[in-house]
Amino acid sequence: MAQLLFNLFAVFTLVTAAGVVLNKNVVNAAMCLLLTLVGVAGLFVALNAYLLAFILLLVYAGAVVALFLFIIMLLDTKGDQRPGLKHLSLIARAIALALVAGGVVSFFVRSRLPEPSLGATPALGAELKLYAYQLFTTYLLPVQVIGFLLLIAMLGVIVLSKKFDGLEDIK
Amino acid sequence: MADFYFNLPLWFRLLVQGFAVIMVVFPIAGFCSLAERKVSAWIQGRPGPNRALPVFIAWVPVLGPFLQRLGIFHFMADGGKMLFKEDSLPGHVNKFYFILAPIVAMMPALTTVTTVPFGAYLDAAGQVIPLGLARVDIGLLAVFAVSSLGVYSLILAGWASNSKYPFLGGVRASAQLISYELAMTLSVVPVFLWINSPGMPGTMSLARAVEFQSLPGFFGGAWFIFIMPVAALIFLVSLFAETNRHPFDMAEGEADLVGGFHTEYGAFKWGLFFVAEYAHMLIGSGVFTLLFLGGWNPLPWVTLAQFAALLHVAQLPLVVGLLSIGIFLGKVIALIFFFMWVRWTVPRFRYDQVMKLGWQKLLPLAIANLIAYAIGIAVIQK
């Protein structure tokens, strides 16, 4: 039963993720992204990481995708006409394709991991206290670095979007 | 009777429980629409709905006219009207999302019910066991996560309607709901700092919050609204904004946006939006009751166990269960009355005032409140 659910959610996630990339309508793509996130949350639940599942829903499905839709609606992007291929995008596509191919090949060549003992690995995202403890001890540096990065991104958005009258040198 | 019930297969019992809860939530949410009309009428000094009367009730001598004055049957008349009206589908809409939006409005409202405990009973040892559909450790986080998906119904309705006013309503709704989610989440953190005292397993469970409001002693028995009044105020204001209630109903704003996001909707699809709004209010009031108003404890410093002992029913789990559900629902309905009271008293904000209140007043206040309580709790609980 659990295995079946996991497989179902995995397929669901992949199909909707393909929908994000292939949809020409931007709103459809954003809704597919929402479903992808729900699928990933389902995968987390299947792995007993309830906390991660609900945080994913709360932060990404509840707020980030809503902001995506907000921006799409604000800019009124139709997304129906595609710009013609440019040299740069061709090169980028080739690189992306090569990366995907490399990933698939390496997955088939050396996908054999040593069999993990399931009892020894605690589900980190399952229990609130353990998760918080790990965040503030083992993973303190990454958390701080990412927080700093987000702060810089936020400042960048403010500087780029706000009109500073009489303070032209800030830009 | 009880033995027969517990001998049924588990899936069947879960199905029955789920249906039972929805059968309570859905009519209450629908009934709130009638209460809204009646309460607004009383506040404005007019009689309100008092005409609808089925024939067979008209024959009852005293009770019939009384119920007619009370407007009870307008509930059925409204529902019937919504069901039998022509369900028009404007030609210029995106049909898929237009039909999807009211469904998406109902789903989070009814899903969050599963994680909200709504009563308790005493087992043989005198322990208080909470009643609820799903006993999840991350209680409140699950409520916030699922209810935050409700914003998509407003956005999609506004976008799919493909006309100006709904679109503006949808844009306003998405910005407003995301803005107030921050203050709302931050305002409840002190509560969970307090109940996750050292030596306890970490939890976000709502039942634990009630457990902490039924401890002996002055501070133990006090409801959190007395211990953390600022947090309760921020949570309540954010709740108004999150449920799109007056004075925050920017998404609807009939004075400037006709009907906001649901301008193009009619008949039962509109009815679904309406019921979903009340269901959200119901869940939000329930969470507020559990966090700040002592849940199923009848009075501050009087716990459910003491109250049951006073009434000599502590040995009857069924009676205590019904009693606790009654107390809980009573508080929730009082809170919903408060929602209506505010709606018909306070004028609507301007949109810039809503944004200013959310980002410049409530968010800093919530952060300051959190820091103050974090220091205070660290000193008290060592």
Side-chain angles (χ1 to χ4, degrees):
Chain A
M1 184 66 184
Q3 187 65 41
L4 180 73
L5 272 181
F6 187 89
N7 290 344
L8 271 179
F9 275 122
V11 171
F12 179 77
T13 308
L14 285 179
V15 168
T16 49
V20 178
V21 185
L22 298 177
N23 250 313
K24 283 186 181 174
N25 186 328
V26 199
V27 173
N28 284 342
M31 293 313 288
C32 278
L33 181 60
L34 179 65
L35 290 180
T36 310
L37 289 169
V38 172
V40 175
L43 285 179
F44 278 140
V45 168
L47 293 171
N48 286 334
Y50 304 107
L51 184 68
L52 278 183
F54 280 105
I55 288 179
L56 189 79
L57 276 187
L58 182 64
V59 176
Y60 286 93
V64 172
V65 180
L67 274 181
F68 280 8
L69 278 174
F70 178 69
I71 299 297
I72 289 168
M73 284 161 60
L74 212 61
L75 298 180
D76 200 20
T77 336
K78 287 284 182 289
D80 290 327
Q81 320 93 341
R82 279 196 181 182
L85 288 181
K86 293 195 180 112
H87 284 294
L88 194 64
S89 66
L90 265 181
I91 296 169
R93 279 178 189 207
I95 292 174
L97 203 66
L99 277 177
V100 170
V104 169
V105 166
S106 69
F107 177 74
F108 279 113
V109 171
R110 35 180 175 164
S111 60
R112 298 245 158 212
L113 287 174
E115 195 74 18
S117 57
L118 284 175
T121 44
L124 197 55
E127 206 196 325
L128 193 67
K129 206 164 190 173
L130 191 64
Y131 181 75
Y133 187 76
Q134 292 286 333
L135 271 191
F136 277 93
T137 52
T138 315
Y139 300 105
L140 186 60
L141 185 66
V143 169
Q144 293 290 331
V145 169
I146 290 171
F148 195 64
L149 204 67
L150 285 176
L151 181 69
I152 290 173
M154 211 157 77
L155 286 177
V157 168
I158 292 172
V159 168
L160 285 179
S161 63
K162 199 167 169 111
K163 292 189 176 61
F164 293 96
D165 294 329
L167 286 171
E168 285 304 315
D169 53 333
I170 279 187
K171 272 190 181 174
Chain B
M1 183 70 188
D3 287 337
F4 171 72
Y5 178 70
F6 284 109
N7 283 332
L8 291 169
L10 183 67
W11 63 268
F12 187 77
R13 276 190 288 149
L14 292 178
L15 210 63
V16 168
Q17 287 168 5
F19 264 115
V21 169
I22 285 178
M23 282 293 119
V24 171
V25 170
F26 209 82
I28 290 183
F31 216 78
C32 282
S33 67
L34 170 71
E36 178 101 53
R37 295 173 68 188
K38 208 65 189 172
V39 168
S40 74
W42 286 332
I43 286 177
Q44 294 169 343
R46 54 190 172 83
N50 62 352
R51 293 300 162 97
L53 186 65
V55 177
F56 53 92
I57 301 285
W59 295 335
V60 182
V62 182
L63 194 66
F66 175 72
L67 289 178
Q68 184 193 19
R69 292 278 158 70
L70 220 53
I72 296 286
F73 307 108
H74 278 268
F75 171 51
M76 289 184 267
D78 283 352
K81 183 193 76 176
M82 271 190 254
L83 263 177
F84 294 118
K85 241 178 169 178
E86 182 192 350
D87 198 1
S88 62
L89 194 66
H92 54 79
V93 300
N94 181 327
K95 288 199 179 53
F96 178 70
Y97 289 122
F98 189 77
I99 295 170
L100 187 70
I103 302 170
V104 173
M106 280 311 292
M107 279 195 309
L110 292 182
T111 311
T112 39
V113 184
T114 53
T115 50
V116 178
F118 45 78
Y121 66 95
L122 304 170
D123 67 359
Q127 289 286 321
V128 177
I129 313 288
L131 289 169
L133 285 182
R135 221 169 289 162
V136 279
D137 196 34
I138 43 179
L140 187 66
L141 216 53
V143 173
F144 278 167
V146 179
S147 67
S148 71
L149 298 180
V151 67
Y152 289 105
S153 75
L154 307 189
I155 299 180
L156 286 179
W159 182 79
S161 294
N162 193 18
S163 76
K164 272 182 194 142
Y165 292 127
F167 178 74
L168 279 173
V171 171
R172 281 180 178 189
S174 51
Q176 177 185 324
L177 264 64
I178 292 168
S179 307
Y180 279 80
E181 227 161 61
L182 284 172
M184 192 179 203
T185 317
L186 278 176
S187 70
V188 297
V189 177
V191 174
F192 286 95
L193 280 181
W194 180 252
I195 67 174
N196 282 303
S197 52
M200 305 285 265
T203 182
M204 295 284 280
S205 147
L206 288 163
R208 176 75 76 77
V210 178
E211 204 181 296
F212 254 75
Q213 295 173 72
S214 27
L215 292 176
F218 183 77
F219 276 113
W223 293 351
F224 284 147
I225 194 170
F226 302 127
I227 302 181
M228 305 172 184
V230 180
L233 179 74
I234 298 170
F235 188 82
L236 193 63
V237 174
S238 312
L239 197 61
F240 273 85
E242 288 286 313
T243 49
N244 276 315
R245 286 293 292 185
H246 250 276
F248 291 97
D249 67 339
M250 291 295 122
E252 205 173 320
E254 59 263 37
D256 45 352
L257 292 186
V258 188
F261 67 96
H262 61 54
T263 304
E264 306 283 350
Y265 284 87
F268 205 66
K269 289 206 276 294
W270 179 82
L272 278 182
F273 278 122
F274 204 58
V275 174
E277 183 185 320
Y278 285 107
H280 271 297
M281 260 167 69
L282 201 64
I283 309 294
S285 308
V287 172
F288 186 83
T289 306
L290 290 169
L291 285 179
F292 294 108
L293 291 180
W296 41 80
N297 294 323
L299 286 171
W301 298 289
V302 179
T303 65
L304 180 69
Q306 288 164 347
F307 190 60
L310 202 69
L311 296 178
H312 302 291
V313 290
Q315 304 307 318
L316 306 165
L318 207 60
V319 177
V320 177
L322 287 176
L323 188 70
S324 67
I325 293 174
I327 292 167
F328 178 70
L329 276 183
K331 284 179 185 176
V332 168
I333 287 169
L335 213 54
I336 286 177
F337 174 74
F338 179 72
F339 269 80
M340 291 172 183
W341 190 5
V342 169
R343 170 166 181 181
W344 298 100
T345 310
V346 182
R348 180 183 292 124
F349 290 144
R350 273 198 331 261
Y351 193 65
D352 61 317
Q353 291 171 328
V354 169
M355 283 294 127
K356 196 170 265 180
L357 181 69
W359 288 103
Q360 296 187 355
K361 305 261 162 52
L362 286 186
L363 188 61
L365 190 65
I367 294 173
N369 181 54
L370 171 61
I371 292 173
Y373 274 100
I375 294 170
I377 288 167
V379 170
I380 292 173
Q381 291 184 339
K382 286 264 175 355

